[in-house]
Amino acid sequence: MWNLLVVEDESIVRVGLRYMVNWESLGLNWKAEASNGEEALSILASQQIHIVLTDIRMPGMDGLVLAKQIKQQYAGVQVIFLSSYDDFAYAKEALRLGAVDYLHKPTMDEDEIREVLGKAVKLLEEQKPPSRQQLSGDDKNEYLLSMLDTYTFPSPPFASELETDEFKMGCWLTIIRKREDAIAETADSEHLRFVSLLYLIDELVAKDWGGFVFHRHYREVIWIAPLMAKASGNKQPEKSKYLEGLRQKVLELLNAAVVYSHSSCYAHITDLPKAYLEALLRLPVKEQSDNLIVRMAKEWVDRRLLEEDMTLSKVAADIHVSQGYLSRVFQKEVGENFSDYVIRNKLEYAQKKLRETNRKVYEIATEVGYANAHYFSKLFKEKFGVTPIEYRNQ
């Protein structure tokens, strides 16, 4: 379901619209209402909105100013305008700003509303990222991993799957790791043991609870779970007891000793970066130390990603560890060195800006810290196989 926000200063018009159309039959959820542009922006900041149906003329912030703000801050949101007889010039400006269409308030009927909303839904479907069924193997794992960091969080997430009834009530996250004091193994046998652990947990939670199971560089299993277990019947299992039972099954079936921690419940899937950090901090101290240091380094990068002068020595000094130690644990935990991680995140941020804005390539290059646009384009092509212009035109 796509979420609809209606912005109209006349309450009678809002009421009329609400009951004029069977919104659910269009795949829409009448999510929220606002009486002015400021109120609408507040709702957009706190709720997942896909379509905004807004009056052009309103007291305070009018619909055109609101649309400009939406396009700058929420590029994927589709905007439709409501206009009156004397708003024709405004309506033309609205279309120039990238609105889907406009509806003429005095004459609009159910069929016209359905047609215009259908256009918006079609545009949303076209820009929607691949669903989990279309992603497999490493691609799916990388996509899910991107949901654990604020800067790499996809926009929108798996809308067709993560905004289902299963996740509507909220979500929580679990980290599962092999105990560090477990018997040492060769690299090959350790990898196979981890893959077996991953598959077993995926199979067990898919049957009992639901959600998504993936891994972080074959070092930890991560499970994103809906609030309610699907096989719970009338009695909802307690999370800690369920996880302890899971640990016991892993020990019995694979003879593998693991530790785990879980987050509290969060209202929306966009809170996953917070849930991951909370679960990380709850791991036993021996298991979290290196991971936590790397997490602190990654958060330092996230906060300063758009700065040009970003070095390993700076982050090491700020989080109070030696540069050599940070370099070793970063490579071990993340699977790439610090500079490669910074470059990758800058390029992925640039990729998002190319996709969601009309800004020039040199402007995006400058924003992510590359004064030389040619060098930026060279790095971009090495990473993604196409130039920034080719990527935008795909």
Side-chain angles (χ1 to χ4, degrees), residues 344-357:
R344 177 171 64 80
N345 276 271
K346 287 191 175 212
L347 293 177
E348 287 177 354
Y349 178 83
Q351 192 181 39
K352 184 177 180 182
K353 289 297 178 182
L354 286 165
R355 186 173 64 246
E356 296 180 355
T357 74

Side-chain angles (χ1 to χ4, degrees), residues 153-367:
F153 196 93
S155 175
F158 286 131
S160 61
E161 298 191 30
L162 294 176
E163 293 185 356
T164 59
D165 290 340
E166 184 184 25
F167 281 95
K168 196 169 284 185
M169 297 180 68
C171 61
W172 54 288
L173 180 146
T174 296
I175 296 172
I176 300 172
R177 278 192 159 206
K178 195 179 79 169
R179 269 176 39 184
E180 291 292 349
D181 58 355
I183 298 171
E185 299 176 282
T186 64
D188 287 345
S189 63
E190 187 174 6
H191 179 79
L192 289 172
R193 179 66 65 91
F194 184 91
V195 171
S196 299
L197 172 66
L198 180 70
Y199 288 162
L200 176 61
I201 291 172
D202 192 14
E203 181 181 339
L204 292 172
V205 304
K207 179 181 67 175
D208 300 334
W209 204 296
F212 297 83
V213 173
F214 54 107
H215 68 87
R216 191 180 65 83
H217 305 300
Y218 295 98
R219 290 190 55 78
E220 64 189 23
V221 178
I222 301 160
W223 172 32
I224 302 171
L227 183 63
M228 306 294 286
K230 66 181 183 180
S232 60
N234 293 326
K235 188 176 180 182
Q236 178 71 12
E238 200 273 316
K239 292 194 288 288
S240 295
K241 287 184 178 179
Y242 178 78
L243 290 170
E244 183 57 25
L246 200 62
R247 186 191 69 78
Q248 290 285 355
K249 285 181 182 177
V250 168
L251 185 60
E252 292 168 12
L253 297 174
L254 296 180
N255 193 29
V258 297
V259 294
Y260 62 84
S261 65
H262 67 84
S263 73
S264 51
C265 296
Y266 287 82
H268 196 268
I269 208 74
T270 53
D271 291 319
L272 280 173
K274 297 178 187 174
Y276 180 66
L277 180 58
E278 181 189 351
L280 186 62
L281 292 171
R282 288 182 171 184
L283 278 168
V285 174
K286 285 185 179 178
E287 307 298 329
Q288 68 169 257
S289 55
D290 287 355
N291 194 319
L292 184 56
I293 286 168
V294 169
R295 183 71 185 187
M296 289 168 65
K298 288 173 72 178
E299 288 190 332
W300 190 97
V301 171
D302 288 349
R303 288 195 303 272
R304 299 166 173 81
L305 185 66
L306 305 184
E307 293 180 7
E308 187 173 356
D309 187 20
M310 184 181 295
T311 63
L312 181 67
S313 60
K314 272 192 173 183
V315 64
D318 271 12
I319 64 174
H320 307 295
V321 297
S322 74
Q323 183 176 334
Y325 175 69
L326 178 59
S327 177
R328 288 195 304 276
V329 297
F330 200 95
Q331 176 75 47
K332 170 188 162 189
E333 291 285 323
V334 179
E336 61 186 336
N337 65 39
F338 177 81
S339 61
D340 287 343
Y341 175 81
V342 172
I343 291 170
R344 177 171 64 80
N345 276 271
K346 287 191 175 212
L347 293 177
E348 287 177 354
Y349 178 83
Q351 192 181 39
K352 184 177 180 182
K353 289 297 178 182
L354 286 165
R355 186 173 64 246
E356 296 180 355
T357 74
N358 293 320
R359 297 178 63 196
K360 297 184 184 302
V361 171
Y362 76 85
E363 292 175 334
I364 295 172
T366 301
E367 184 183 5

Side-chain angles (χ1 to χ4, degrees), residues 7-49:
V7 191
E8 166 62 62
D9 60 311
E10 297 181 63
S11 59
I12 192 169
V13 176
R14 297 200 303 270
V15 172
L17 274 170
R18 182 158 198 164
Y19 295 103
M20 186 182 290
V21 177
N22 182 347
W23 300 100
E24 289 191 3
S25 68
L26 294 173
L28 296 172
N29 171 34
W30 184 289
K31 181 73 173 176
E33 299 176 14
S35 59
N36 56 61
E38 292 87 349
E39 189 180 338
L41 287 176
S42 177
I43 291 170
L44 282 159
S46 61
Q47 300 188 46
Q48 187 83 8
I49 300 295

